[in-house]
Amino acid sequence: MEVKVEKSRPEKFPCELLLLFSFEFPEALAGPIQNVDLEWKGFISTLMKQGDFKGELFECRLCYTQGVLPAKRVVLTGLGKRGEFDLEKWRGAASKAGQFIRNSGIKQFAFQIESFDGFSEEEFTESFVIGLLLGVYQFNEFKTLEREKIRAIEELILLGEKDEKTKRIGNGLKTGQIISEAVCLARDLVNGPSNEVTPSVLAEKARQIAKDQSMEIQVVEVSQAEAMGMGAFVAVAKGSQEPGKFIILEYNKGKGLDTIALVGKGITFDSGGISLKPSENMDRMKEDMSGAAAVLATLEAASKLQLPLHLVGLLPATENLPSGKAYKPGDILKTLSGQTVEVISTDAEGRLILSDALTYSLRYQPKAIIDLATLTGACVVALGDYTIGLFGNDESLLKRIEEASARTREKVWRMPLWEEYFEYLKSDVADFKNVGTRAAGAIIGGIFLSKFIEKTPWAHLDIAGPASIEKERPYIPRGGTGVGVRLLLQLLKDWQKDRISNVKAQSSNEI
Ligand code: BES
Ligand code: ZN
Ligand code: ZN
């Protein structure tokens, strides 16, 4: 969808369709909808008074203007109760309006951005664009039949009245587009089947992004990884015919900026390996690279947004398959950290490939390490598919993540990493095992990872639940969600702001 900004007013603007929002009746019409209503001889107020459009949350109604307005049609969308409005409802309303317009077969619409309730035009536009573009996302790449029936909106015109205002709208639009494109890239990679999205394809995608964004990239092959001592990553990779790739991306290298390492689990298909999973729902294990997809997409967007940070993205990518060369239960692996791990289940492969990536990330002496992984079914049992399991060793990093979560509404919930849980991983023959008990499975996964962190501030996000959903939500269609991308980008956008305000607070204390 092409989106542009124009200096005009909705009641004066000729277009296929004009989109207007209203709070629930009897709240008075305000802003653009009020001006259009006046020009339209009270048509909208009459509809509302008669109860034909109530303004309930996400209610949509199509009307024909029959030449009274320059716009051919109007879509009215409800924002619900005035007192319950927030940016999450706004994103949802933008999405629902977009889906309604698309499903009506209309290809162009206009809309005037008018912020209220103290929201800036920038953030209001950004949230609108995010809600809309994420809501109309479709994954049609592999559908060959009846392609002509696929509908898509081709153009949106954002209207603003004054030059300064259109400039602010333009800024919000740009940020919103960059963030939405990143989420959609992550969704595409997650929805893509594992025969298409192989580790090599992920590496190629990363190469292309690195080239376009002038980032550094290194793709470590399995043989090199072996020579480097990544015994855990190599063990998982060697069971598959598809070559594993350990992808390293760097944005803003060597500029003296704060370093943050982002690590994403990139299992492009998790069969469980020799500890084979049951076949029911195994197809969903193409989603086991959702962490890697989110990290890759975040790096691309961070570069487009020119965030003043040094970001390192580490994406250990491999399949987890059984074969004559596959690693086996009982094997003892030597990890890059030097610690040894007894394999109890080859299905707990995520923590193995992540352990080497986490150790590797320490080379960059990052200010923080954040890993994203579809790590445990236990986390799905604990939190369902709405919520990311949040683990970590640093209160201030966890708080920052919770703040980013509150703003983006990508929900996180804190889980403990008490040392007592390490008891479950004690091994008779190696430093520790890769599996403990079924009970506390998500925590034990986190405890395992913590053994590779040393003292660096670190957060582990278990996204096994929300990485994909069965039932659509206001701006998240069924399937891969791209979860984590908006959360990470919000965290990274606010990182410098927080630092600057901390420095200011400190220096004012000193005075
Ligand atoms: N990829 C799975 C976790 C998963 C499960 C993600 C369901 C998304 C939905 C992971 O590799 C795995 O198999 N974990 C095991 C760990 C167990 C063997 C300790 C699990 O959760 O059963
Ligand atoms: Zn597994
Ligand atoms: Zn897995």
Side-chain angles (χ1 to χ4, degrees), residues 448-476:
F448 181 94
L449 298 180
S450 73
K451 297 294 154 193
F452 299 87
I453 290 299
E454 298 170 7
K455 293 258 176 304
T456 312
W458 159 71
H460 158 55
L461 275 64
D462 193 333
I463 57 169
S468 83
I469 56 172
E470 299 268 0
K471 198 172 169 299
E472 63 160 33
R473 299 191 189 141
Y475 56 96
I476 319 179

Side-chain angles (χ1 to χ4, degrees), residues 157-362:
I157 303 126
L158 292 176
L159 307 175
E161 281 174 87
K162 301 194 192 91
D163 282 335
E164 332 79 82
K165 202 167 153 184
T166 53
K167 197 168 159 239
R168 288 198 293 272
I169 292 173
N171 289 342
L173 164 63
K174 200 168 155 220
T175 313
Q177 276 177 318
I178 291 172
I179 295 172
S180 316
E181 277 165 19
V183 176
C184 292
L185 165 65
R187 287 180 182 176
D188 281 346
L189 290 171
V190 175
N191 287 330
S194 73
N195 58 331
E196 293 283 335
V197 184
T198 59
S200 307
V201 167
L202 274 184
E204 266 327 295
K205 189 79 205 164
R207 278 214 170 90
Q208 180 209 321
I209 290 173
K211 191 163 161 248
D212 295 346
Q213 300 300 324
S214 310
M215 284 191 236
E216 300 281 321
I217 181 159
Q218 199 191 338
V219 178
V220 178
E221 304 295 331
V222 176
S223 56
Q224 291 168 281
E226 189 156 21
M228 287 159 75
M230 294 191 187
F233 172 70
V234 171
V236 179
K238 72 183 189 179
S240 168
Q241 299 276 348
E242 278 293 340
K245 308 275 170 181
F246 190 97
I247 306 161
I248 306 165
L249 275 164
E250 249 183 288
Y251 159 65
N252 272 340
K253 182 180 175 174
K255 296 193 182 154
L257 298 161
D258 279 4
T259 303
I260 299 184
L262 303 175
V263 181
K265 173 176 172 182
I267 296 289
T268 58
F269 187 73
D270 182 11
S271 70
I274 298 288
S275 315
L276 196 64
K277 285 182 181 294
S279 58
E280 202 187 352
N281 294 331
M282 206 204 268
D283 53 297
R284 293 208 41 195
M285 282 301 123
K286 68 174 186 179
E287 294 157 8
D288 213 17
M289 35 56 75
S290 299
V295 170
L296 184 58
T298 299
L299 256 84
E300 181 178 37
S303 166
K304 288 186 184 165
L305 293 168
Q306 300 182 308
L307 300 186
L309 287 166
H310 171 219
L311 299 178
V312 180
L314 298 171
L315 319 176
T318 167
E319 295 187 323
N320 183 28
L321 292 183
S323 77
K325 289 192 176 156
Y327 77 129
K328 305 170 292 298
D331 286 1
I332 298 177
L333 312 178
K334 183 148 188 179
T335 64
L336 183 62
S337 71
Q339 301 175 102
T340 56
V341 176
E342 181 189 5
V343 176
I344 300 301
S345 168
T346 62
D347 197 11
E349 82 300 336
R351 61 197 72 182
L352 295 174
I353 64 166
L354 287 175
S355 68
D356 282 346
L358 291 173
T359 303
Y360 195 87
S361 76
L362 299 176

Side-chain angles (χ1 to χ4, degrees), residues 91-112:
R91 287 185 283 262
S95 159
K96 287 292 158 196
Q99 290 170 356
F100 182 80
I101 293 168
R102 177 195 63 197
N103 297 346
S104 308
I106 296 152
K107 301 221 172 320
Q108 184 216 41
F109 77 99
F111 163 64
Q112 182 185 3

Side-chain angles (χ1 to χ4, degrees), residues 4 8 18 66 80 107 127 155 257 273 300 325 328 365 388 393 447:
K4 53 185 188 186
S8 182
L18 184 65
Q66 298 186 301
K107 301 221 172 320
S127 296
E155 190 182 40
L257 298 161
E300 181 178 37
K325 289 192 176 156
K328 305 170 292 298
Q365 296 175 309
I388 298 170
N393 62 0
I447 287 281

Side-chain angles (χ1 to χ4, degrees), residues 139-155:
F139 185 71
N140 292 323
E141 208 182 314
F142 296 92
K143 296 255 187 201
T144 67
L145 305 176
E146 300 183 317
R147 282 196 74 85
E148 67 289 350
K149 287 200 180 153
I150 297 173
R151 289 170 164 172
I153 301 170
E154 284 161 12
E155 190 182 40

